[in-house]
Amino acid sequence: MLKFSSNTFKHGVHPPEHKEDTNKLPVRQFPFPPLIVLPMQQHIGKPAQVIVREGQEVARGQLLAKADGYLSVPMHAPVSGIVRKIANVPVIGGQKASGIYLETFPFSGQEVVEGAPVPLSASPEAILQGIQDAGIVGLGGAAFPTHVKLKIPEGKFCEHLIINGIECEPYLTTDHRVMLEQADDIFTGIRYLLRVTDAKQVIIGIEANKKDAADHLADRIPDDLPVKVKVVPVKYPQGAEKMLITALLGKEVPSGGFPIDVHAVAVNVATTAEIGRLLPHGRGIQERVVTITGPGIKKKGNYLIPIGTPLRFVLEHVGAAENLSEVYMGGPMMGVSASDLDLSIVKGTSGIVVFGDENVKRSDKIYPCIKCGACVDACPISLNPSRLGILAKSEAYDTMAEEYHLMDCFECGSCSYVCPSNIPLVQYFRVAKGIVRKRKSAVAHV
């Protein structure tokens, strides 16, 4: 069943979409690079623990690193090859972390090592374990371990399972193509999700700029599934789960709360498809669909890329501009600017957006806040970014958290986007939140 809705969340912005270059292009298989570079920290939580040794030959899909406890996921070999080195590898933010350098066999094929299948008849606990064993995390960018997200806390219940196909980030069309090309995997994934959440209703949320995907899924809903597709207006950041819950259910997740507090669980549509694709075969995740686009790219498109493929190899293959100015891992609103072309594609990489020197026209000069209120009007959770920015400049981080709800900010970037003074508000808040978390952690360990 397909339904159109005019409901949405308050505030938000309407940046140019820039999706037309890739949203009609089918997903293509990306070639294997000669060297895979795999960070063990590709998810929120503890990094995976390496269980292979240097010089060991491994097959595609083989377990390379095991989960280190509950809030962790394992890593699987994206290609068949030889473990050349176990050492620190570059990660986002200019840092280094533990990882594996895997040299690809010249004739490595697409065959994948499979483990024990997880049938739909398995218990909810066995399915959650299967999701963790497959290394599945949120593929929308957050990379939170999916098995943890799906675990319903004691005393709570899930009534609504929301499949998030919004993809409001400019330039990115990964989820759009997954919905058009992997419908069967999505509905199989929904069956697994219903088993573990015991939800009574499933809503696939899709923005109005993807009506072809909405029609495609609505026409293929199995008769025995309680699924409906709901199309909502185009607005950023509607893909944030709290905003989507408001748009679809008319409910507001409380400050500091989670979707389950309003009896909902939200799962990205590509994550859902991976659950449906991997669990029936006992496989681990070795690749993902990535949108590669931007004015600095010649061969734009959506590609199925092995996890651990170096960014430099990707850009060479798709014909990146020689005069690179900015390379975003993710989209331009919530993505992170790449500090090093030796970074790798990781599980949370939904897109690579590239700009050349001639495409970037902005002033780096930051002007004083003029109290115009544009950021307040834009903030989807009704914070006061102007006041928070002033407090951040004064390093009043505790005041930001305790009196102005800093930790509710999910760093969508709407405030920075509309600021006429060019104040990098979201960057201020990202730093401030990191400091608050460190202080809380230090107090907890005293």
Side-chain angles (χ1 to χ4, degrees):
M1 180 171 64
L2 179 64
K3 294 184 66 176
F4 290 85
S5 172
S6 60
N7 295 335
T8 186
F9 62 96
K10 295 179 180 178
H11 304 166
V13 294
H14 294 86
E17 295 176 28
H18 295 297
K19 296 177 182 282
E20 63 280 354
D21 288 336
T22 59
N23 62 5
K24 303 297 183 185
L25 299 177
V27 175
R28 290 172 281 176
Q29 182 71 52
F30 209 79
F32 292 160
L35 183 70
I36 288 284
V37 182
L38 279 174
M40 294 297 100
Q41 182 79 69
Q42 297 193 24
H43 52 269
I44 293 174
K46 299 179 72 174
Q49 291 183 326
V50 176
I51 61 171
V52 292
R53 67 182 187 281
E54 292 182 353
Q56 181 176 339
E57 294 186 3
V58 297
R60 187 169 187 248
Q62 182 176 331
L63 186 66
L64 299 179
K66 65 181 182 179
D68 185 10
Y70 181 61
L71 192 60
S72 181
V73 295
M75 292 295 305
H76 300 80
V79 298
S80 295
I82 301 175
V83 177
R84 284 302 181 199
K85 188 164 58 171
I86 299 172
N88 285 341
V89 302
V91 294
I92 205 77
Q95 302 172 333
K96 287 185 177 280
S98 62
I100 295 174
Y101 290 85
L102 177 61
E103 182 180 331
T104 308
F105 284 147
F107 301 105
S108 178
Q110 297 291 330
E111 298 83 8
V112 179
V113 172
E114 297 188 354
V118 181
L120 279 166
S121 58
S123 68
E125 292 75 18
I127 292 174
L128 289 176
Q129 187 61 57
I131 291 171
Q132 181 180 23
D133 291 345
I136 298 173
V137 300
L139 298 182
F144 191 81
T146 302
H147 67 282
V148 179
K149 184 174 189 175
L150 294 174
K151 181 69 174 177
I152 308 298
E154 192 73 31
K156 304 281 187 179
F157 68 92
C158 175
E159 183 177 355
H160 304 282
L161 172 62
I162 293 174
I163 307 302
N164 188 343
I166 296 296
E167 197 168 43
C168 59
E169 183 79 34
Y171 287 97
L172 304 190
T173 57
T174 295
D175 292 347
H176 191 166
R177 294 312 309 179
V178 166
M179 289 187 284
L180 288 172
E181 299 181 39
Q182 298 181 31
D184 289 345
D185 291 336
I186 291 170
F187 289 119
T188 299
I190 287 173
R191 292 184 187 277
Y192 281 107
L193 294 173
L194 285 171
R195 284 282 294 158
V196 298
T197 63
D198 198 29
K200 303 299 182 287
Q201 180 188 47
V202 183
I203 304 174
I204 304 176
I206 303 176
E207 280 193 327
N209 58 2
K210 305 175 195 60
K211 188 176 180 301
D212 55 344
D215 290 337
H216 183 78
L217 291 179
D219 290 343
R220 288 162 176 77
I221 298 173
D223 292 337
D224 62 331
L225 285 182
V227 177
K228 62 182 178 182
V229 177
K230 185 174 284 190
V231 178
V232 294
V234 176
K235 187 164 65 167
Y236 181 87
Q238 195 142 233
E241 61 182 15
K242 291 183 178 181
M243 305 301 99
L244 184 56
I245 287 169
T246 298
L248 296 180
L249 304 179
K251 298 179 179 180
E252 185 171 325
V253 178
S255 174
F258 298 95
I260 197 62
D261 294 327
V262 292
H263 314 304
V265 170
V267 183
N268 170 263
V269 71
T271 308
T272 304
E274 282 301 285
I275 292 171
R277 185 174 74 91
L278 297 176
L279 263 62
H281 305 285
R283 294 177 180 175
I285 185 170
Q286 324 98 34
E287 56 192 0
R288 67 153 297 153
V289 179
V290 180
T291 302
I292 304 178
T293 187
I297 293 292
K298 294 178 182 177
K299 301 175 185 176
K300 301 176 178 68
N302 288 289
Y303 297 89
L304 189 60
I305 303 182
I307 304 298
T309 300
L311 180 58
R312 190 182 303 277
F313 178 84
V314 172
L315 296 181
E316 289 173 355
H317 184 78
V318 298
E322 294 182 2
N323 58 336
L324 294 181
S325 175
E326 291 183 353
V327 179
Y328 286 97
M329 305 287 276
M333 294 295 284
M334 290 191 73
V336 180
S337 181
S339 57
D340 188 339
L341 294 185
D342 292 323
L343 293 170
S344 301
I345 300 296
V346 294
K347 295 177 182 180
T349 306
S350 54
I352 299 172
V353 185
V354 179
F355 298 90
D357 287 339
E358 68 277 9
N359 310 126
V360 179
K361 297 179 181 179
R362 70 168 190 273
S363 170
D364 289 328
K365 184 174 176 58
I366 298 173
Y367 296 91
C369 174
I370 60 173
K371 310 294 192 300
C372 66
C375 58
V376 177
D377 290 338
C379 181
I381 52 174
S382 300
L383 300 182
N384 186 335
S386 172
R387 182 62 182 158
L388 283 166
I390 293 169
L391 291 169
K393 291 286 284 184
S394 303
E395 301 183 0
Y397 303 123
D398 291 337
T399 301
M400 293 172 70
E402 294 167 7
E403 299 182 24
Y404 291 90
H405 305 283
L406 168 69
M407 304 311 287
D408 284 338
C409 170
F410 56 89
E411 302 168 25
C412 70
S414 297
C415 53
S416 297
Y417 177 75
V418 300
C419 180
S421 296
N422 202 37
I423 301 172
L425 292 164
V426 70
Q427 285 82 359
Y428 290 172
F429 304 157
R430 191 172 290 145
V431 170
K433 288 170 68 179
I435 292 172
V436 170
R437 290 191 189 102
K438 284 184 178 179
R439 288 180 178 176
K440 288 184 176 180
S441 178
V443 171
H445 287 86
V446 171

